Amino acid sequence: MTGPDNAPALVLNADFRPLSYFPLSLWSWQDAVKAVFLDRVNIVSNYETVVRSPSFEMKLPSVIALKEYVHQSRRPAFTRFNVFLRDRFACQYCGHRFPTQDLTFDHVVPRSRGGRTSWENVVTACGACNLRKGNRMPRDIGMIPQYTPRQPTAYDLQDAGRGFPPNYLHESWRDYLYWDIELDQDDDAGRPAVATLPAF
């Protein structure tokens, strides 16, 4: 790590869960330091990077926790990104994953046939499949979505987000991103449990 601009802070809620899994709730080092001085957060972990002024010096926080709990919305906003996240960035017709810029959303029942723009009628689609389906009904051309679209819960989106970690994960973040993943139990020979963590 070369400098403070490469030292974002992972922000946890007061219960030590991330405010968001994807995109991660990250603050710049300036916002993190300001929150520390305003006594709005507790420092959980630090980088080795130090910032100095004439009157003080401090290690930059790498993980901070809010002092006041922020209640999460139980009903996620109906946005294009949340539709992609619900569908795990995979076209619901061909099944392939794509970067967000190559995805669009498709009305399962086309709007021209009375379909609504809602969680229950919109799925993630790649450009080729969306063009091929057009305004036809899925059963007429054999393009049935892999999963029946539905409104996700906030937990569903958090769970989906855990599968898409950012390119850069500081080691001090990992305990807080994956602390609730189930551990394997001891086997019959009494060997210790091993944590099952996602591959980075």
Side-chain angles (χ1 to χ4, degrees), residues 3-194:
D5 289 336
N6 295 320
L10 175 67
V11 186
L12 308 177
N13 213 334
D15 64 356
F16 282 69
R17 291 176 183 255
L19 289 176
S20 169
Y21 278 94
F22 193 91
L24 283 176
S25 45
L26 302 178
W27 287 359
S28 68
W29 71 269
Q30 296 96 326
D31 289 338
V33 169
K34 182 179 178 181
V36 169
F37 277 98
L38 293 175
D39 202 32
R40 293 179 179 163
V41 297
N42 290 314
I43 297 174
V44 179
S45 185
N46 291 303
Y47 292 110
E48 290 302 313
T49 304
V50 175
V51 291
R52 295 176 176 86
S53 78
S55 58
F56 84 100
E57 72 174 45
M58 71 176 287
K59 287 185 177 180
L60 291 179
S62 63
V63 181
I64 55 178
L66 301 177
K67 290 193 171 184
E68 292 189 19
Y69 183 78
V70 175
H71 289 278
Q72 305 291 319
S73 171
R74 294 189 177 191
R75 300 185 61 168
F78 179 57
T79 65
R80 183 182 296 260
F81 183 83
N82 281 346
V83 170
F84 295 165
L85 185 56
R86 177 200 66 184
D87 295 343
R88 298 177 187 256
F89 302 94
C91 174
Q92 293 301 291
Y93 297 116
C94 69
H96 294 109
R97 278 189 183 165
F98 294 88
T100 54
Q101 65 267 22
D102 295 333
L103 293 172
T104 183
F105 67 78
D106 177 68
H107 291 80
V108 179
V109 176
R111 295 184 70 184
S112 62
R113 302 197 180 197
R116 300 184 59 189
T117 304
S118 67
W119 283 112
E120 293 76 18
N121 192 49
V122 168
V123 295
T124 301
C126 68
C129 286
N130 199 352
L131 189 62
R132 185 158 65 95
K133 179 174 172 288
N135 69 345
R136 293 175 288 183
M137 296 293 285
R139 63 180 175 275
D140 294 343
I141 57 170
M143 290 182 70
I144 308 297
Q146 294 189 339
Y147 298 100
T148 302
R150 63 177 180 83
Q151 179 174 325
T153 64
Y155 176 81
D156 292 333
L157 294 187
Q158 283 191 345
D159 188 51
R162 289 181 221 187
F164 300 92
N167 293 331
Y168 170 78
L169 279 181
H170 191 264
E171 62 183 20
S172 66
W173 298 357
R174 296 184 184 183
D175 287 342
Y176 303 97
L177 292 178
Y178 303 108
W179 67 271
D180 55 347
I181 290 181
E182 187 173 343
L183 300 176
D184 293 332
Q185 295 186 36
D186 287 351
D187 63 17
D188 292 338
R191 287 187 285 264
V194 177

